Amino acid sequence: MSWLSEDVEHDSEFLALVGRAVLALAQERRALSYDALCSRLGGLADNADDDEMIISCWRARQLLKNSVGLVK
């Protein structure tokens, strides 16, 4: 089971980008995993048309990487 830090839980831009990544994975019928989400956020950045979107995608990817923890 995973959780996100409180700061990220209330970051609407982060949540919107992660939502786009989840939707893209579902449309591709790919398994939803931490690695797949990070990869998809990187892909969104690579395909973005403007600098702001690129920065937002990479920021979301970094937030995800820094915020996810595992409960054992």
Side-chain angles (χ1 to χ4, degrees):
M1 182 176 197
S2 335
W3 76 91
L4 296 173
S5 71
E6 277 188 41
D7 296 337
V8 175
E9 286 179 6
H10 303 290
D11 187 328
S12 59
E13 183 177 40
F14 168 79
L15 295 173
L17 287 170
V18 169
R20 283 182 62 184
V22 168
L23 182 60
L25 291 171
Q27 289 172 340
E28 295 170 6
R29 299 192 188 282
R30 289 183 54 198
L32 180 60
S33 68
Y34 166 77
D35 289 334
L37 277 175
C38 285
S39 175
R40 194 41 144 150
L41 286 167
L44 287 172
D46 291 343
N47 294 322
D49 292 333
D50 61 76
D51 290 341
E52 187 174 323
M53 182 61 143
I54 293 169
I55 292 167
S56 294
C57 289
W58 285 113
R59 178 181 168 272
R61 184 174 183 261
Q62 193 61 41
L63 282 171
L64 182 66
K65 288 177 82 172
N66 291 341
S67 297
V68 172
L70 296 175
V71 176
K72 294 182 181 183

